Amino acid sequence: MTLTRAEPTAEEGIKGASNFLRGDLSRELTDGPPKVSGESEHLLKFHGIYAQDNRDVRRERSLAGETLDYIFMIRVAIPGGRLSSAQWLALDEVGSDIADGTIRLTTRQAVQFHGVLKRGLRPLAFSLDEYLMTSFGACGDVVRNTVICPDLIMNSHDERLRAMASQISKTFKPKTMAHWEIFVNGELAAKREEEPEHEFYGQTYLPRKFKIAIAHPGENCVDVYAQDLGLIPARHEELGEGFTVVVGGGLGRSYADADTFARLADPLTFVTYDEVEGLIAAVLATYRDLGDRSRRKRARMKYVVADGGFASFRREVAQRYGAALREAVAIDLDDADDHLGWRTLDDGSFQVGIRVGAGRVRDVADGQRLRSALRLIAQQFDVTLLITAQQDILISGISGVDRDAIQNLLVTHHVRAIEELGLVERSALACPALPTCGQALAEAERRLPNIVEQVQGEMNNSGQGKRRLQLRMTGCPNGCARPAVAEVGIVGRTKTSYDLYLGGGLRGDRLATLYQEKLKLEEIPAVLRPLLDRWKVEGLLDESFGDFFNRVHVA
Ligand code: SRM
Ligand code: SF4
């Protein structure tokens, strides 16, 4: 049978027939082979779990006629990236016992564990639950981990804003008890009376994932325009404090589907605190109804906005919201703050932001022992840990008496201070790519240190070693490290080649343009060299590389 565009995808059928995300998961997780069926793979995503295989040994195993090295990735949703010392210790323990020994901080302030075996999934979910954490809803066709600028959590004087990411996560988490039944409490959970699922999810949930971020009103560390829905604190002349809401962003593209593209979110309206959740629910309902459920690659909300036009989308939202939408209050976001280094918070306590490097928390033999340092800090001090949308970690709420001890711990574990970092390294991001990501076309995280060193070398040679240059690298055009809005975006094209995007920027309000295709990684520094030289000579005072590139339209 040929699939016509109007027919729902197989994934829609799986969701609809799953009895609210249960399917056959219970049985498949209990026994059978080290992998799960295709249907269960899809449902597992809603529970925060991805079926993967170790791609480093895929070929050799296939050639030898052996089964693949099946592993799972679990993503823990951490609203706003905020963790207590006890929660960090629980994650640390899980990382050693059940996963591959690393803790991977993500570009959405979540945590991932790689290399988990099927039999480890339930114990892992159980441990998370003990410390009030969950992987449920971290993936799947639902509202994903809500991202917020850490400064709003630690420094905001408005309690509502401090708690906003957690509140949004709680409100929009699916209501089904499936996760607790299958992974945590078994029969106990099954006996509980289940609440009906949210009306905006229904039986088939959303057409695809939905991402929300809350930006600082002054700077864009969360890449708010890359989100399905962004909230930016603003003040309305008559109504007072609230948010400008932006909608319709998303960065993923596919080489196989020419009509996929990256898009930045547009301002939709202004809402007060009391109106935020109602407005989000109306946007979700619009997306639920109008999103394309016949093509997964074109099912994101940005295509509803782009295809039907923004005015039409706005009308649809207003209709479901039940009131006319106000004009958005104008906003003006500055360059992203990386939140690194020592700072004093408004309450007089201290915070230190640590560069993690592609988000991978681990101990390096004869090098930085970040994992041990964080473990000791969490054991000895009552602090708040915050994961940033730049894959870094902040140790926050440090009392004056503890400051020196924490600094000493960092030094003795060779954790590098920001003064020791090159400025390319300081803001570079990379997605995990190989060997775990099933969609990777090329390397990313594993090659990042090398390309960063080379590009930093070019910057130093052109006499601009002390200037900021934002470089982001991904193993495919899905864009998990957001290269589509970076000053320098390196995007995997084939196993050995990359497309080079230039001219995004630190404000995150401009898409980068494709500069050259199918470059070998080692060719990229030389391609950048003449541009960096021109930037030095022709750039205006304090003009960033991205701004310069766009102003002169370097051909
Ligand atoms: Fe992503 C899929 C990793 C942020 C766009 N992403 C994946 C998967 C699950 C691969 C898969 O589907 O099999 C990757 C897991 C690899 C692995 O081995 O761990 C993956 N994405 C990541 C993370 C871990 C990258 C990182 O370096 O931190 C980020 C986890 C975020 C989180 O905690 O929830 C991550 N992904 C993003 C972002 C950035 C963001 O959200 O701010 C994007 C671009 C924004 C957007 O959504 O448009 C992004 N990921 C995608 C896409 C493209 C979706 C699309 O619109 O077509 C895919 C592919 C898919 O969903 O089928 C994808
Ligand atoms: Fe995988 Fe592509 Fe995302 Fe990298 S950008 S993690 S290769 S899906």
Side-chain angles (χ1 to χ4, degrees):
M1 191 180 70
T2 16
L3 197 72
T4 68
R5 286 219 165 169
E7 276 184 70
T9 57
E11 286 86 348
E12 290 299 318
I14 295 169
K15 286 187 276 182
S18 71
N19 184 19
F20 297 100
L21 310 180
R22 290 177 177 82
D24 205 14
L25 284 178
S26 245
R27 192 189 59 78
E28 286 199 40
L29 291 176
T30 307
D31 38 47
K35 60 175 188 154
V36 295
S37 66
E39 284 191 11
S40 289
E41 271 189 21
H42 185 63
L43 291 178
L44 271 181
K45 292 182 187 175
F46 287 83
H47 299 270
I49 299 167
Y50 275 82
Q52 303 184 320
D53 69 278
N54 177 356
R55 294 183 59 185
D56 279 349
V57 297
R58 189 189 273 183
R59 194 176 139 76
E60 123 200 359
R61 288 217 176 189
S62 298
L63 287 176
E66 294 170 5
T67 54
L68 300 184
D69 183 10
Y70 294 111
I71 46 175
F72 294 82
M73 176 271 277
I74 298 197
R75 185 182 290 161
V76 189
I78 299 171
R82 179 190 193 156
L83 293 161
S84 64
S85 291
Q87 286 175 318
W88 180 264
L89 288 174
L91 293 173
D92 182 73
E93 204 177 307
V94 165
S96 308
D97 296 351
I98 307 179
D100 69 357
T102 70
I103 302 173
R104 179 57 159 72
L105 314 182
T106 79
T107 51
R108 297 195 68 75
Q109 301 181 321
V111 157
Q112 285 189 179
F113 293 109
H114 288 106
V116 180
L117 300 179
K118 193 171 94 169
R119 62 172 179 276
L121 295 174
R122 277 181 167 139
L124 205 159
F126 194 86
S127 304
L128 293 174
D129 188 65
E130 264 188 303
Y131 287 90
L132 304 179
M133 293 182 281
T134 183
S135 63
F136 185 49
C139 315
D141 302 340
V142 292
V143 172
R144 298 287 185 92
N145 200 40
T146 298
V147 175
I148 187 169
C149 167
D151 213 39
L152 296 183
I153 294 185
M154 296 310 292
N155 256 345
S156 167
H157 298 284
D158 191 328
E159 186 47 44
R160 292 172 302 177
L161 200 49
R162 295 165 80 104
M164 192 121 183
S166 308
Q167 184 55 43
I168 287 179
S169 295
K170 217 192 257 166
T171 306
F172 297 99
K173 191 73 85 186
K175 288 188 176 173
T176 172
M177 290 299 293
H179 185 77
W180 284 268
E181 205 177 297
I182 298 165
F183 290 91
V184 186
N185 287 330
E187 283 178 16
L188 212 64
K191 278 185 197 145
R192 275 180 56 153
E193 203 167 312
E194 180 144 322
E195 282 185 61
E197 189 50 279
H198 291 291
E199 180 258 335
F200 49 75
Y201 283 148
Q203 269 194 323
T204 46
Y205 295 83
L206 298 174
R208 287 228 59 189
K209 54 185 123 181
F210 190 92
K211 299 183 171 179
I212 301 178
I214 306 151
H216 190 279
E219 56 89 15
N220 192 9
C221 69
V222 296
D223 272 327
V224 73
Y225 301 109
Q227 313 289 322
D228 292 285
L229 187 147
L231 298 169
I232 307 159
R235 192 178 164 74
H236 192 278
E237 270 184 7
E238 288 147 33
L239 302 164
E241 302 301 330
F243 299 89
T244 280
V245 184
V246 297
V247 291
L251 304 183
R253 289 179 300 108
S254 158
Y255 291 125
D257 296 81
D259 58 351
T260 56
F261 47 82
R263 186 180 191 283
L264 297 181
D266 294 306
L268 178 76
T269 185
F270 172 89
V271 286
T272 62
Y273 274 91
D274 292 343
E275 295 164 342
V276 172
E277 290 193 351
L279 194 271
I280 297 176
V283 173
L284 288 174
T286 308
Y287 176 41
R288 174 203 60 201
D289 296 344
L290 304 182
D292 185 349
R293 291 180 186 258
S294 68
R295 277 177 77 193
R296 295 284 292 170
K297 278 287 172 204
R298 267 199 126 252
R300 293 293 295 274
M301 193 178 81
K302 65 180 171 181
Y303 298 114
V304 179
V305 178
D307 294 350
F310 195 75
S312 155
F313 182 79
R314 205 165 182 271
R315 275 195 301 277
E316 294 283 351
V317 174
Q319 194 187 327
R320 288 164 180 82
Y321 185 55
L325 300 183
R326 297 180 196 103
E327 283 307 304
V329 170
I331 33 156
D332 184 19
L333 297 181
D334 208 342
D335 290 357
D337 180 358
D338 63 15
H339 302 281
L340 297 183
W342 280 98
R343 295 180 185 193
T344 308
L345 301 178
D346 288 355
D347 66 0
S349 68
F350 297 95
Q351 172 177 290
V352 59
I354 297 165
R355 176 80 193 131
V356 175
R360 190 70 67 172
V361 177
R362 57 150 64 102
D363 281 350
V364 178
D366 300 327
Q368 173 161 293
R369 285 184 292 124
L370 179 59
R371 178 110 190 257
S372 296
L374 291 174
R375 183 188 308 126
L376 287 171
I377 290 168
Q379 279 167 349
Q380 294 174 22
F381 305 97
D382 182 18
V383 291
T384 300
L385 294 118
L386 296 153
I387 299 163
T388 73
Q390 314 292 321
Q391 304 173 322
D392 294 325
I393 195 155
L394 316 182
I395 304 165
S396 202
I398 302 172
S399 71
V401 286
D402 295 337
R403 183 185 163 143
D404 287 350
I406 288 182
Q407 173 63 12
N408 282 341
L409 255 166
L410 294 173
V411 171
T412 52
H413 286 77
H414 307 290
V415 176
R416 291 161 70 216
I418 46 166
E419 297 75 24
E420 299 171 60
L421 302 173
L423 286 186
V424 181
E425 178 184 6
R426 186 164 162 167
S427 62
L429 304 184
C431 72
L434 294 167
T436 53
C437 178
Q439 309 223 21
L441 302 170
E443 295 277 356
E445 182 182 327
R446 294 196 291 198
R447 296 296 299 275
L448 185 73
N450 185 260
I451 187 76
V452 159
E453 193 185 329
Q454 290 182 43
V455 173
Q456 184 68 57
E458 294 297 339
M459 290 283 283
N460 296 346
N461 290 341
S462 76
Q464 305 191 92
K466 300 276 176 239
R467 300 188 75 176
R468 205 169 165 185
L469 184 75
Q470 181 196 46
L471 181 152
R472 296 177 175 179
M473 180 176 187
T474 57
C476 86
N478 282 324
C480 298
R482 300 188 289 267
V485 286
E487 291 190 293
V488 177
I490 301 174
V491 178
R493 177 78 181 250
T494 66
K495 202 170 176 204
T496 53
S497 74
Y498 294 81
D499 289 348
L500 180 64
Y501 287 80
L502 299 177
L506 299 161
R507 293 183 302 277
D509 59 356
R510 186 174 57 214
L511 289 175
T513 40
L514 179 60
Y515 184 67
Q516 279 196 31
E517 291 179 86
K518 293 192 181 168
L519 290 166
K520 301 248 174 293
L521 203 52
E522 42 287 8
E523 291 170 336
I524 289 176
V527 171
L528 287 175
R529 191 175 307 145
L531 303 179
L532 297 176
D533 288 344
R534 276 192 68 183
W535 176 35
K536 182 182 180 192
V537 177
E538 298 170 37
L540 306 174
L541 186 68
D542 290 334
E543 188 175 36
S544 68
F545 177 72
D547 287 352
F548 166 73
F549 181 88
N550 276 278
R551 183 171 59 79
V552 302
H553 291 292
V554 179

